[in-house]
Each structure stands twice: as structure tokens, then as C-alpha cells.
């Protein structure tokens, strides 16, 4: 499955085609799922729980679903979002990650 095929399949369960609703639900869902993901990490790191990779995978899947509907809400494909991200990272770190470049980035370099 390609990323854009995933996006199309995810929209089948979005419950709406309204772009504003897709964007708002996507934004809220991303925050919620990120919270669920970090909560599992917190429990592993600080509360003695085993690292539950299967549960983390499911939460990452939920993040992907919300990314898909949010991207649709702003009228772009997930492929476009991911491609732009890679281009930004290549420009920012042309030779791979460098802590020095990270510490001294331009303020407009988001």
C-alpha cells in the first residue's frame, strides 16, 4: 500500500467529507494520540511497565490516521507532506543531523 492509498482508505472511516471538520478532528486527534503514545513511554520509563511495542505500533497507526484526515482537510496528500518534510530536513542538515546546526538554526527555519 502506498501512503496515498492509505490516506484514501483512512478517509472511508472519517465520518465526514467536510474539510473544516477533517482538519479540526485531525488536529485534535494528533494531540490526543501523541499523548497516548508518550503515556506508554512514561509508564515504561518511570513506572516499571514493560515496553509494549505492539501498543505503541497501534498508537502510531492512530497518529497516521489523524495525519491522513488532517492532510485531506488542508487539501494535500500525505505523500506531499512527507516529501516536503524530507526536503526541509535535507536543506537543514545536508550532511545528516548535526547538533551544531541544530543549536544555531536560523529563527525562520521551521
Amino acid at each position: 500500500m502506498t501512503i496515498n492509498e492509505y490516506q484514501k482508505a483512512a478517509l472511508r472511516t472519517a465520518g465526514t467529507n467536510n474539510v473544516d471538520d477533517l482538519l479540526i478532528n485531525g488536529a485534535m486527534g494528533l494531540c490526543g494520540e501523541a499523548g497516548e503514545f508518550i503515556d506508554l513511554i512514561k509508564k515504561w520509563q518511570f513506572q516499571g511497565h514493560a515496553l509494549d511495542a505492539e501498543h505503541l505500533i497501534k498508537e502510531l497507526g492512530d497518529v497516521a490516521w489523524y495525519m491522513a484526515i488532517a492532510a485531506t482537510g488542508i487539501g494535500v496528500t500525505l505523500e506531499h507532506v512527507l516529501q516536503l518534510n524530507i526536503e526541509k530536513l535535507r536543506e537543514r542538515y545536508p550532511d545528516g543531523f548535526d547538533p551544531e546546526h541544530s543549536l544555531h538554526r536560523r529563527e525562520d527555519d521551521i
Side-chain angles (χ1 to χ4, degrees), residues 32-94:
E33 295 303 330
E36 289 185 35
F37 189 87
I38 196 61
D39 195 51
L40 291 168
I41 300 297
K42 175 197 71 181
K43 288 177 180 179
W44 164 65
Q45 189 66 40
F46 299 109
Q47 297 176 2
H49 293 239
L51 182 62
D52 189 345
E54 289 301 315
H55 197 163
L56 288 169
I57 291 166
K58 290 177 182 177
E59 297 305 334
L60 287 174
D62 292 342
V63 167
W65 188 89
Y66 282 108
M67 282 181 58
I69 67 167
T72 302
I74 58 173
V76 298
T77 64
L78 279 174
E79 183 176 11
H80 181 72
V81 171
L82 299 177
Q83 183 62 46
L84 286 179
N85 181 253
I86 291 299
E87 289 171 10
K88 176 183 79 172
L89 293 172
R90 281 188 181 135
E91 182 177 323
R92 186 177 293 166
Y93 305 111

Side-chain angles (χ1 to χ4, degrees), residues 3-23:
I3 193 74
N4 289 338
E5 289 169 341
Y6 174 85
Q7 184 174 8
K8 184 177 179 181
L11 288 170
R12 186 183 67 78
T13 56
T16 183
N17 291 325
N18 179 287
V19 293
D20 291 345
D21 290 342
L22 290 171
L23 178 58

